[in-house]
């Protein structure tokens, strides 16, 4: 196995120069740098990352803590995070907090103890222990997908940046679209209480009703707790009403699957018996029959943007915290009751 000394001999430079090229610890003339890189390539030299981190106090690694990694939405976010991190020369350590505040605090500590330089976290509905740990240890962190309403701890303490999709207006659009098709009883299968995404989509739902001149009926809003089984139960509750909804909005892709199962079990056909629109597009939404009308989040861009924001925080630790909400797209298909290839909104 080639060593740093072998690289130095091949390139005709000192071992110290090779170290400066690898670690960016001192400027090196372009032709010298290229000679070192050519020698590394020719010899197949692999730097000892652990040894390098001990010298530089940098691991060039980022911790990612997101729940439900099997969820296609978070899978695409992970792909965006990984691609952006690798492009910048960072490795990725991944943990699943399972949307549990105690486990969340534990896995974040484990990532931190592995000396990641910063964290990207999709926080739980009760992130107080998480915030306390991050603030106490001053870990550079970007919150992903879900917003935390107190992004700065301790007055002038640690600043948390946040990157997510815009949720309120897109949900409003789903509701007004269904109302424009003549629906007057529109149900919402909302997510886990306490999550910012849940609150924003409920707000969007209520705005959509108001904009369409429809009254808010609390019985038509049920929580599916952001997961498939919960949405199946919640949809069954809606269908048991004396006057059940004629249209449904589901607030994430996992709950869409649960709602469809409940509708199937009750012998209902979409959109003939009940119209359906969903928040979150996913790879096979266009393969369902009917094809699902959905809000598509820019999931990969959210992940990539979170990495860029974290690296900017590394470069400017004292800059003001910022929250970035990226726009979504309305994907108009047929589960809402519109014909194929609609020309509508």
């Amino acid at each position: 196995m080639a060593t740093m000394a072998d690289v130095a001999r091949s390139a005709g430079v000192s071992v110290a120069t090779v170290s400066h090229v690898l670690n960016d610890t001192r400027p090196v003339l372009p032709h010298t740098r290229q000679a070192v890189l050519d020698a590394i390539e020719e010899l197949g030299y692999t730097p000892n990352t652990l040894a390098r981190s001990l010298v530089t106090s940098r691991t060039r690694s980022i911790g990612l803590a997101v729940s439900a990694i099997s969820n296609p939405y978070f899978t695409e976010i992970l792909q965006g995070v990984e691609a952006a991190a690798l492009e910048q020369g960072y490795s990725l350590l991944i943990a699943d907090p399972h949307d549990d505040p105690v486990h969340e605090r534990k896995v974040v500590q484990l990532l931190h103890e592995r000396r990641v330089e910063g964290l990207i976290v999709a926080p739980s509905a009760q992130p107080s222990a998480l915030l306390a740990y991050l603030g106490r240890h001053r870990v550079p962190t970007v919150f992903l997908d879900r917003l935390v309403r107190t992004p700065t701890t301790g007055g002038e303490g640690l600043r948390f940046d946040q990157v997510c999709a815009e949720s309120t207006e897109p949900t409003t659009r789903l509701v007004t679209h269904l109302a424009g098709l003549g629906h007057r009883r529109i149900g919402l299968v909302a997510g886990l209480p306490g999550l910012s995404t849940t609150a924003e989509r409920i707000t969007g739902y209520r705005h959509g009703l108001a904009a369409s001149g429809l009254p808010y009926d609390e019985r038509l809003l049920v929580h599916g707790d952001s997961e498939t089984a919960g949405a199946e139960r919640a949809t069954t509750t809606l269908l048991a009403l004396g006057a059940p909804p004629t249209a449904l909005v589901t607030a994430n892709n996992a709950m869409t699957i649960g709602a469809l199962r409940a509708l199937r079990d009750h012998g209902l056909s979409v959109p003939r018996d009940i119209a359906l629109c969903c928040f979150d597009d996913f790879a096979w939404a266009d393969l369902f029959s009917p094809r699902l009308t959905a809000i598509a989040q820019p999931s990969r861009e959210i992940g990539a943007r979170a990495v860029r924001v974290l690296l900017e925080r590394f470069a400017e630790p004292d800059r003001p915290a910022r929250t970035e909400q990226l726009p979504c797209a309305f994907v108009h298909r047929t589960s809402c009751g519109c014909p194929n290839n609609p020309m509508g909104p």
Side-chain angles (χ1 to χ4, degrees):
M1 180 180 293
T3 66
M4 192 181 295
D6 296 328
V7 173
R9 280 192 296 271
S10 178
V13 300
S14 68
V15 171
T17 298
V18 176
S19 177
H20 290 314
V21 171
L22 290 172
N23 298 314
D24 264 341
T25 47
R26 195 185 72 185
V28 176
L29 291 173
H31 69 275
T32 304
R33 175 181 290 275
Q34 191 58 53
V36 171
L37 295 176
D38 290 344
I40 289 172
E41 179 68 23
E42 181 182 346
L43 297 172
Y45 172 68
T46 302
N48 186 326
T49 304
L50 177 58
R52 188 193 309 178
S53 70
L54 292 173
V55 172
T56 63
S57 297
R58 296 189 62 191
T59 60
R60 295 196 71 81
S61 62
I62 293 171
L64 175 66
V66 294
S67 293
I69 290 174
S70 61
N71 184 315
Y73 169 66
F74 280 115
T75 300
E76 290 194 3
I77 281 184
L78 189 156
Q79 291 169 349
V81 170
E82 182 180 44
L86 289 176
E87 182 180 341
Q88 297 299 321
Y90 282 79
S91 60
L92 198 63
L93 278 68
I94 305 170
D96 188 338
H98 301 298
D99 270 336
D100 175 79
V102 175
H103 194 61
E104 170 181 71
R105 161 67 174 73
K106 185 181 299 183
V107 300
V108 163
Q109 179 176 345
L110 289 173
L111 289 171
H112 183 222
E113 289 174 351
R114 280 156 179 75
R115 300 182 65 199
V116 296
E117 294 186 30
L119 290 165
I120 297 173
V121 180
S124 69
Q126 299 174 315
S128 57
L130 169 70
L131 290 172
Y133 181 87
L134 296 174
R136 183 165 62 254
H137 295 279
R138 303 191 63 78
V139 186
T141 302
V142 174
F143 290 128
L144 182 82
D145 183 59
R146 295 117 174 225
L147 299 181
V148 174
R149 296 307 177 188
T150 54
T152 304
T153 62
E156 296 300 317
L158 188 65
R159 294 165 173 82
F160 298 117
D161 300 298
Q162 311 194 90
V163 179
C164 64
E166 212 288 318
S167 283
T168 302
E169 188 279 333
T171 309
T172 297
R173 186 170 188 186
L174 292 179
V175 174
T176 56
H177 178 66
L178 290 168
L181 296 175
H183 294 283
R184 293 295 173 264
R185 290 185 63 75
I186 302 170
L188 174 68
V189 181
L192 185 69
L195 295 179
S196 67
T197 47
T198 299
E200 290 172 359
R201 291 167 198 177
I202 289 174
T203 298
Y205 167 72
R206 297 192 67 163
H207 285 176
L209 294 175
S212 305
L214 300 177
Y216 169 67
D217 183 343
E218 63 180 12
R219 295 170 299 176
L220 293 178
L221 194 162
V222 291
H223 286 275
D225 295 337
S226 302
E227 47 92 24
T228 300
E232 195 169 352
R233 292 189 297 269
T235 303
T236 297
T237 298
L238 288 174
L239 296 177
L241 293 174
T246 62
L248 279 183
V249 173
T250 52
N252 78 1
N253 54 19
M255 292 191 292
T256 298
I257 301 302
L260 286 169
R261 284 180 180 170
L263 296 175
R264 178 201 62 193
D265 290 348
H266 284 77
L268 298 177
S269 172
V270 177
R272 185 190 65 204
D273 300 315
I274 186 166
L276 176 69
C277 289
C278 52
F279 206 105
D280 280 344
D281 199 21
F282 44 97
W284 55 88
D286 195 40
L287 300 178
F288 277 74
S289 181
R291 298 158 59 235
L292 298 178
T293 293
I295 294 298
Q297 299 191 73
S299 46
R300 292 197 186 198
E301 176 56 26
I302 290 171
R305 186 64 193 145
V307 172
R308 292 194 289 271
V309 170
L310 183 60
L311 297 186
E312 291 167 11
R313 174 61 63 193
F314 292 165
E316 299 181 76
D318 297 323
R319 69 164 170 75
R322 69 172 181 266
T323 295
E324 297 189 10
Q325 291 187 277
L326 306 183
C328 296
F330 180 87
V331 184
H332 197 166
R333 299 190 181 104
T334 58
S335 64
C336 53
C338 292
N340 279 308
N341 301 314
M343 299 299 292

